[in-house]
Amino acid sequence: MSVERVHRMSHAVDAAAPAGVLYNVVADTAPWPLFLPDTVHVERLEFDGTTDRYAQWAIADGTARPSLWRRTLDAHHRRVGFRQERPADPVTTSGGSWSVEELAPGWSRLSLEQDITVAGNRTADVARVLESARAEARGVLGRLATFAERWQRLDGLLLSFEDAVRIPGPAEPVHEFLYRVGSWPGRVAHVVGADVTEDRPGVQRTRLVNLADDGAAYTTEEVRVCFPAAGRIVFKRTRPHPLLAAHAGEWSVEPDATGVTVVCRHDVLLDAGAVERMLGPGADPARAGRHVREVLGRESRATLEPAQQYARESVRSLRPV
């Protein structure tokens, strides 16, 4: 029986950012859907102050696939150890560590150490796995370093908000309406076209044609991961609104004794380079944030209103004659 070889790789990038800032960008996974193009959603499952366990949905082969991770966080030494649970074949183990070293005031180095084993040690499998791991590592390192370097401006570019509606009815038809995004044209005022693909149960890729206030059409594309039992749909727009560099969020249907509260949350990252181009000379991120809040809030409410109507119609159709 052959013994699986441990393949080790090291990567590093220097960033014009304080070491503490760079460490926090690595340690806090919540904003990763806005920072990392292929990450759709990250959800912390356990945390005791130093160790955590989280699920990450990332785009691979055109669809979102989940993975489970355990980490040990050491803020004092600016180190994060990680290990993947049940890696996808042919990978049998995958783990490593992140570490941040201060080089000089305002300058730091982010290092990533990885160790991977591949079932059978077949040359073709090893080469494919390692090349994919290297490419992903280089991409993630570069993106996290870039956002750490923007730390002084980042708060002005990040925005989170939500809209909610109260519906006096059951949760099932509301979730069904939100899930059946292909039926939105003709029901949701700003949506005039929809193309939906569901390659795996509960994982959708959508392409919506929307109308702006001036009647101009613009297209958005997103990946959605649906959790029917929990009444949740998380999404990541892979082609967001033209003012945004990244956009993620969640629809949630929260039932109680008398009905449901439907909430749409948006997490967005403004595209600083698009602000004046889209809104005119002199426009700043604060104005862009207000504009995005208004546009996305209006779209959310325009979707929640027919969801409310659909739920009422469903309840009426179930009543005995």
Side-chain angles (χ1 to χ4, degrees):
M1 179 181 295
S2 63
V3 177
E4 292 176 351
R5 177 187 171 189
V6 179
H7 303 274
R8 303 185 187 279
M9 295 178 290
S10 299
H11 311 272
V13 63
D14 294 348
V21 169
L22 193 53
Y23 172 80
N24 287 335
V25 169
V26 172
D28 184 6
T29 58
W32 281 11
L34 299 180
F35 293 171
L36 305 178
D38 290 337
T39 296
V40 175
H41 179 65
V42 178
E43 187 155 334
R44 175 174 274 173
L45 306 175
E46 303 170 19
F47 183 57
D48 65 6
T50 57
T51 62
D52 74 351
R53 181 171 180 260
Y54 68 91
Q56 180 177 6
W57 283 262
I59 299 170
D61 301 324
T63 188
R65 300 182 184 277
S67 57
L68 293 172
W69 301 84
R70 287 189 179 274
R71 302 192 307 170
T72 302
L73 288 81
D74 183 349
H76 179 70
H77 295 99
R78 302 192 190 100
R79 185 181 185 279
V80 178
F82 61 87
R83 182 69 47 186
Q84 185 177 4
E85 300 181 5
R86 300 189 298 276
D89 291 336
V91 177
T92 52
T93 65
S94 177
S97 65
W98 296 93
S99 60
V100 177
E101 174 190 1
E102 184 178 33
L103 302 177
W107 278 91
S108 338
R109 175 168 297 156
L110 176 61
S111 300
L112 172 60
E113 305 287 336
Q114 293 176 282
D115 60 79
I116 298 173
T117 59
V118 180
N121 292 317
R122 290 178 290 272
T123 301
D125 287 344
V126 170
R128 176 170 54 84
V129 166
L130 296 187
E131 178 55 34
S132 176
R134 290 189 188 99
E136 182 179 2
R138 288 192 294 265
V140 171
L141 276 166
R143 296 287 295 185
L144 294 182
T146 295
F147 283 103
E149 290 180 334
R150 299 179 185 173
W151 67 278
Q152 291 180 309
R153 295 185 296 140
L154 204 53
D155 284 347
L157 299 176
L158 291 169
L159 184 66
S160 295
F161 55 89
E162 62 183 36
D163 292 280
V165 66
R166 179 72 184 164
I167 299 178
E172 290 79 4
V174 178
H175 188 275
E176 180 186 5
F177 180 86
L178 297 174
Y179 177 82
R180 295 179 58 200
V181 64
S183 70
W184 287 5
R187 291 181 169 181
V188 178
H190 65 276
V191 179
V192 296
D195 182 22
V196 183
T197 303
E198 189 163 340
D199 297 324
R200 299 169 59 237
V203 180
Q204 300 175 331
R205 289 182 289 124
T206 72
R207 183 177 185 272
L208 300 184
V209 180
N210 310 273
L211 291 182
D213 289 345
D214 59 4
Y218 67 95
T219 300
T220 57
E221 297 176 3
E222 69 182 39
V223 175
R224 309 198 322 161
V225 182
C226 307
F227 305 95
R232 301 172 61 207
I233 298 173
V234 298
F235 62 86
K236 165 74 172 282
R237 286 196 175 174
T238 54
R239 184 178 177 181
H241 185 280
L243 261 175
L244 300 178
H247 180 185
E250 176 179 345
W251 295 94
S252 60
V253 182
E254 304 167 3
D256 55 39
T258 60
V260 296
T261 300
V262 189
V263 180
C264 182
R265 193 193 78 244
H266 297 275
D267 302 314
V268 303
L269 174 65
L270 296 171
D271 182 351
V275 172
E276 290 195 354
R277 184 175 70 249
M278 294 291 300
L279 300 180
D284 60 8
R287 179 181 166 189
R290 292 192 296 269
H291 179 79
V292 167
R293 173 67 179 94
E294 180 182 349
V295 169
L296 296 183
R298 184 168 59 248
E299 290 183 358
S300 297
R301 293 188 295 273
T303 305
L304 291 170
E305 289 170 4
Q308 186 176 33
Q309 181 64 29
Y310 183 82
R312 288 171 178 164
E313 293 171 355
S314 299
V315 170
R316 284 198 296 268
S317 69
L318 292 174
R319 289 175 180 165
V321 178

